[in-house]
Amino acid sequence: MTNFRSASLLALAVSAVACDPVGRMQGTVVEAPTKTPVADADVTMDCGRGGTPVKTDAQGRYEATQVGFLDPKCTVEAKKDGYEAVRTPMGDRCAEGDKERCYRGRVDLQLTPKK
């Protein structure tokens, strides 16, 4: 009986996780004056639950995910040594879904070199 109950609880927990929406934010990070892609920049998406940074690839592209829908208050921050950090709100950049239930957004960022 205990094994059956444990298996049922595990199945319930897995199905609850599988039903959670996943919000995805993607975009590029480029150098402001030259529009050159910035590789290895840290990009963090924060929708009120903190965020884990992801790195940009050689073309300056990133994709960050979080459990839950994106909303206009979500922010995206990019930073890298030698550049001024930049943070911007998602605002109305929903690419799929709507403002209340957005699950994909795009934010392109520009980093300015420190002087």
Side-chain angles (χ1 to χ4, degrees):
M1 184 72 161
T2 302
N3 287 339
F4 176 73
R5 185 177 301 165
S6 296
S8 296
L9 289 174
L10 178 61
L12 181 60
V14 169
S15 67
V17 170
C19 291
D20 283 341
V22 175
R24 297 184 193 283
M25 181 72 69
Q26 61 187 26
T28 57
V29 178
V30 298
E31 188 175 284
T34 64
K35 307 296 187 241
T36 303
V38 178
D40 296 318
D42 288 317
V43 179
T44 305
M45 178 176 65
D46 185 358
C47 293
R49 298 183 266 317
T52 302
V54 296
K55 293 278 190 188
T56 56
D57 65 13
Q59 289 79 36
R61 297 179 300 216
Y62 73 91
E63 183 169 335
T65 60
Q66 67 141 26
V67 174
F69 291 110
L70 307 175
D71 68 46
K73 292 177 253 165
C74 294
T75 61
V76 181
E77 178 182 49
K79 60 185 175 180
K80 183 175 180 177
D81 286 344
Y83 294 89
E84 298 291 333
V86 63
R87 177 184 288 247
T88 188
M90 186 180 135
D92 62 357
R93 295 179 177 107
C94 185
E96 292 182 43
D98 57 39
K99 266 190 167 176
E100 301 302 315
R101 298 178 66 80
C102 182
Y103 52 91
R104 185 175 297 276
R106 180 173 186 89
V107 175
D108 297 314
L109 301 161
Q110 296 184 25
L111 291 177
T112 302
K114 289 183 179 177
K115 295 184 180 192

